[in-house]
Amino acid sequence: MNQSIVKKLKVQKEKEAKAQLQLTKAKSEAKKLHDEVMISLGEEVLKQLGTKDIESAFDEIGKQLHRVGSHD
């Protein structure tokens, strides 16, 4: 009877390890997709602002936000 319990525990541990690996892979893939989307959005914003310089883009966004905020 002890062997049966030990075997079941071993199988359960293997299933848990496999599930953990799948979870880790899924999280990694989700982060990769998130990063790709953020890069794509960033590139689109730079295109819309007509610049390739990130610092200039932030300056321009800041100016636009300031203009919008000053109309309140």
Side-chain angles (χ1 to χ4, degrees), residues 5-64:
I5 293 171
V6 169
K7 185 176 181 180
K8 286 180 181 179
L9 284 173
K10 182 180 177 186
V11 169
Q12 183 63 31
K13 291 274 186 198
E14 289 171 354
K15 287 181 180 179
E16 288 174 5
K18 185 177 179 181
Q20 185 62 43
L21 180 62
Q22 289 175 331
L23 179 61
T24 300
K25 285 181 180 179
K27 285 181 178 179
S28 176
E29 185 64 23
K31 181 174 180 356
K32 179 181 170 187
L33 290 172
H34 175 268
D35 291 349
E36 288 176 9
V37 167
M38 295 307 289
I39 289 169
S40 178
L41 287 173
E43 289 172 347
E44 187 60 32
V45 168
L46 292 177
K47 281 183 199 174
Q48 289 181 10
L49 293 174
T51 182
K52 291 185 179 187
D53 179 31
I54 293 173
E55 192 170 327
S56 296
F58 276 112
D59 290 344
E60 182 60 31
I61 291 170
K63 288 176 190 174
Q64 290 180 13

